[in-house]
Amino acid sequence: EDGYISEAAVMNVTFVTREGVVVTPPYEGILKGCTLRRSLELLRGAADKGQLVKSVEQRPILAADARDCVEMFFTGGDVHVYAITHWDG
């Protein structure tokens, strides 16, 4: 809605910015997935130790901003973590 990304049909979506920030939409009106929650917990732990990523945020993300991210992936019970290699083109 209004150009913001929320989720896939049955999976949550997550992005990694060029600055190393992991961004996923907030749980307002989307699936509060167990796999996503565990992934964010692990990523926050890594960020706290200065490993892998800089930080983890749950905030609205515009499609235009998402296109500038360096990584995208889905999380879900069936696939756990699924890399997105092509999007919108």
Side-chain angles (χ1 to χ4, degrees):
E1 185 175 305
D2 297 325
Y4 288 94
I5 295 177
S6 56
E7 62 185 353
V10 294
M11 293 183 278
N12 295 102
V13 62
T14 304
F15 304 91
V16 182
T17 69
R18 294 183 186 281
E19 295 79 24
V21 178
V22 175
V23 181
T24 191
Y27 294 132
E28 298 163 6
I30 70 164
L31 178 70
K32 189 174 182 180
C34 295
T35 306
L36 175 63
R37 288 183 302 190
R38 181 64 176 141
S39 297
L40 295 179
E41 181 181 303
L42 292 170
L43 287 163
R44 283 185 179 113
D48 289 346
K49 295 176 186 173
Q51 302 171 341
L52 194 60
V53 297
K54 183 178 176 183
S55 62
V56 177
E57 299 176 4
Q58 281 191 280
R59 62 174 170 81
I61 185 165
L62 287 166
D65 294 335
R67 285 183 182 89
D68 194 44
C69 289
V70 294
E71 292 185 51
M72 300 178 214
F73 57 92
F74 288 131
T75 57
D78 291 338
V79 298
H80 302 296
V81 177
Y82 186 83
I84 301 170
T85 58
H86 283 67
W87 174 46
D88 199 24

